[in-house]
Short mmCIF file of all heavy atoms in Angstrom, two decimals:
data_model
loop_
_atom_site.label_atom_id
_atom_site.label_comp_id
_atom_site.label_asym_id
_atom_site.label_seq_id
_atom_site.Cartn_x
_atom_site.Cartn_y
_atom_site.Cartn_z
N TYR Q 1266 64.83 -120.68 26.16
CA TYR Q 1266 65.43 -119.77 25.16
C TYR Q 1266 64.94 -118.34 25.39
O TYR Q 1266 65.69 -117.38 25.13
CB TYR Q 1266 65.04 -120.24 23.76
CG TYR Q 1266 65.89 -121.35 23.28
CD1 TYR Q 1266 65.35 -122.62 22.95
CD2 TYR Q 1266 67.30 -121.22 23.10
CE1 TYR Q 1266 66.12 -123.63 22.51
CE2 TYR Q 1266 68.07 -122.27 22.65
CZ TYR Q 1266 67.48 -123.49 22.37
OH TYR Q 1266 68.27 -124.50 21.92
N LEU Q 1267 63.72 -118.19 25.86
CA LEU Q 1267 63.24 -116.84 26.23
C LEU Q 1267 64.11 -116.29 27.35
O LEU Q 1267 64.47 -115.09 27.38
CB LEU Q 1267 61.78 -116.86 26.62
CG LEU Q 1267 61.19 -115.53 27.02
CD1 LEU Q 1267 61.27 -114.51 25.93
CD2 LEU Q 1267 59.75 -115.71 27.48
N GLY Q 1268 64.46 -117.13 28.30
CA GLY Q 1268 65.30 -116.72 29.39
C GLY Q 1268 66.67 -116.27 28.91
O GLY Q 1268 67.20 -115.22 29.34
N PHE Q 1269 67.26 -117.05 27.97
CA PHE Q 1269 68.55 -116.65 27.44
C PHE Q 1269 68.46 -115.31 26.75
O PHE Q 1269 69.37 -114.48 26.83
CB PHE Q 1269 69.02 -117.69 26.44
CG PHE Q 1269 69.60 -118.95 27.04
CD1 PHE Q 1269 69.12 -120.21 26.70
CD2 PHE Q 1269 70.61 -118.88 28.01
CE1 PHE Q 1269 69.64 -121.37 27.26
CE2 PHE Q 1269 71.13 -120.01 28.60
CZ PHE Q 1269 70.64 -121.27 28.24
N ALA Q 1270 67.33 -115.09 26.01
CA ALA Q 1270 67.15 -113.82 25.29
C ALA Q 1270 67.02 -112.66 26.22
O ALA Q 1270 67.64 -111.60 26.00
CB ALA Q 1270 65.93 -113.91 24.36
N VAL Q 1271 66.25 -112.82 27.28
CA VAL Q 1271 66.02 -111.73 28.25
C VAL Q 1271 67.32 -111.42 28.98
O VAL Q 1271 67.72 -110.21 29.05
CB VAL Q 1271 64.92 -112.10 29.22
CG1 VAL Q 1271 64.81 -111.08 30.35
CG2 VAL Q 1271 63.56 -112.19 28.48
N PHE Q 1272 67.95 -112.41 29.54
CA PHE Q 1272 69.16 -112.16 30.34
C PHE Q 1272 70.37 -111.88 29.46
O PHE Q 1272 71.40 -111.37 29.93
CB PHE Q 1272 69.45 -113.34 31.25
CG PHE Q 1272 68.43 -113.47 32.37
CD1 PHE Q 1272 67.48 -114.46 32.30
CD2 PHE Q 1272 68.43 -112.59 33.44
CE1 PHE Q 1272 66.50 -114.61 33.33
CE2 PHE Q 1272 67.49 -112.73 34.46
CZ PHE Q 1272 66.53 -113.72 34.39
N GLY Q 1273 70.28 -112.24 28.18
CA GLY Q 1273 71.35 -111.92 27.23
C GLY Q 1273 71.19 -110.59 26.56
O GLY Q 1273 71.86 -110.29 25.57
N THR Q 1274 70.25 -109.79 27.05
CA THR Q 1274 69.97 -108.44 26.54
C THR Q 1274 69.69 -108.46 25.03
O THR Q 1274 70.21 -107.63 24.28
CB THR Q 1274 71.12 -107.46 26.89
OG1 THR Q 1274 72.32 -107.90 26.19
CG2 THR Q 1274 71.33 -107.38 28.37
N ALA Q 1275 68.92 -109.43 24.57
CA ALA Q 1275 68.52 -109.45 23.17
C ALA Q 1275 67.54 -108.34 22.88
O ALA Q 1275 66.89 -107.82 23.82
CB ALA Q 1275 67.90 -110.82 22.85
N ASN Q 1276 67.44 -107.95 21.62
CA ASN Q 1276 66.54 -106.87 21.27
C ASN Q 1276 65.09 -107.33 21.28
O ASN Q 1276 64.81 -108.55 21.44
CB ASN Q 1276 66.90 -106.27 19.91
CG ASN Q 1276 66.85 -107.29 18.80
OD1 ASN Q 1276 66.05 -108.23 18.80
ND2 ASN Q 1276 67.77 -107.14 17.85
N SER Q 1277 64.16 -106.44 21.14
CA SER Q 1277 62.73 -106.76 21.23
C SER Q 1277 62.29 -107.72 20.16
O SER Q 1277 61.37 -108.52 20.39
CB SER Q 1277 61.88 -105.45 21.16
OG SER Q 1277 62.17 -104.76 19.95
N ALA Q 1278 62.93 -107.67 19.01
CA ALA Q 1278 62.58 -108.62 17.96
C ALA Q 1278 62.80 -110.05 18.38
O ALA Q 1278 61.94 -110.93 18.13
CB ALA Q 1278 63.38 -108.31 16.64
N TRP Q 1279 63.93 -110.30 19.00
CA TRP Q 1279 64.23 -111.70 19.43
C TRP Q 1279 63.33 -112.05 20.59
O TRP Q 1279 62.97 -113.26 20.75
CB TRP Q 1279 65.68 -111.81 19.76
CG TRP Q 1279 66.52 -112.11 18.57
CD1 TRP Q 1279 67.26 -111.24 17.83
CD2 TRP Q 1279 66.60 -113.38 17.91
NE1 TRP Q 1279 67.81 -111.89 16.73
CE2 TRP Q 1279 67.43 -113.20 16.76
CE3 TRP Q 1279 66.08 -114.65 18.17
CZ2 TRP Q 1279 67.75 -114.20 15.90
CZ3 TRP Q 1279 66.40 -115.67 17.31
CH2 TRP Q 1279 67.24 -115.48 16.19
N ILE Q 1280 63.00 -111.13 21.47
CA ILE Q 1280 62.04 -111.47 22.54
C ILE Q 1280 60.74 -111.94 21.94
O ILE Q 1280 60.14 -112.90 22.43
CB ILE Q 1280 61.81 -110.19 23.46
CG1 ILE Q 1280 63.14 -109.75 24.08
CG2 ILE Q 1280 60.78 -110.55 24.52
CD1 ILE Q 1280 63.75 -110.72 25.06
N PHE Q 1281 60.26 -111.27 20.92
CA PHE Q 1281 59.03 -111.65 20.23
C PHE Q 1281 59.18 -113.00 19.62
O PHE Q 1281 58.27 -113.87 19.71
CB PHE Q 1281 58.66 -110.63 19.18
CG PHE Q 1281 57.60 -111.12 18.25
CD1 PHE Q 1281 56.29 -111.19 18.63
CD2 PHE Q 1281 57.94 -111.58 16.95
CE1 PHE Q 1281 55.32 -111.69 17.76
CE2 PHE Q 1281 56.99 -112.06 16.08
CZ PHE Q 1281 55.65 -112.10 16.50
N VAL Q 1282 60.32 -113.30 19.00
CA VAL Q 1282 60.51 -114.59 18.34
C VAL Q 1282 60.46 -115.74 19.37
O VAL Q 1282 59.82 -116.75 19.16
CB VAL Q 1282 61.88 -114.63 17.64
CG1 VAL Q 1282 62.23 -116.06 17.19
CG2 VAL Q 1282 61.84 -113.71 16.40
N GLU Q 1283 61.11 -115.54 20.50
CA GLU Q 1283 61.13 -116.57 21.54
C GLU Q 1283 59.75 -116.73 22.12
O GLU Q 1283 59.34 -117.87 22.44
CB GLU Q 1283 62.13 -116.19 22.66
CG GLU Q 1283 63.56 -115.97 22.18
CD GLU Q 1283 64.18 -117.19 21.52
OE1 GLU Q 1283 63.56 -118.27 21.50
OE2 GLU Q 1283 65.28 -117.07 20.98
N ALA Q 1284 59.01 -115.64 22.30
CA ALA Q 1284 57.59 -115.74 22.81
C ALA Q 1284 56.74 -116.50 21.81
O ALA Q 1284 55.88 -117.31 22.22
CB ALA Q 1284 57.04 -114.35 23.05
N ALA Q 1285 56.94 -116.25 20.52
CA ALA Q 1285 56.21 -117.00 19.50
C ALA Q 1285 56.49 -118.48 19.55
O ALA Q 1285 55.63 -119.32 19.40
CB ALA Q 1285 56.53 -116.39 18.12
#
Side-chain angles (χ1 to χ4, degrees):
Y1266 281 118
L1267 178 61
F1269 283 128
V1271 171
F1272 291 104
T1274 64
N1276 58 35
S1277 57
W1279 274 100
I1280 299 295
F1281 167 75
V1282 169
E1283 303 300 354

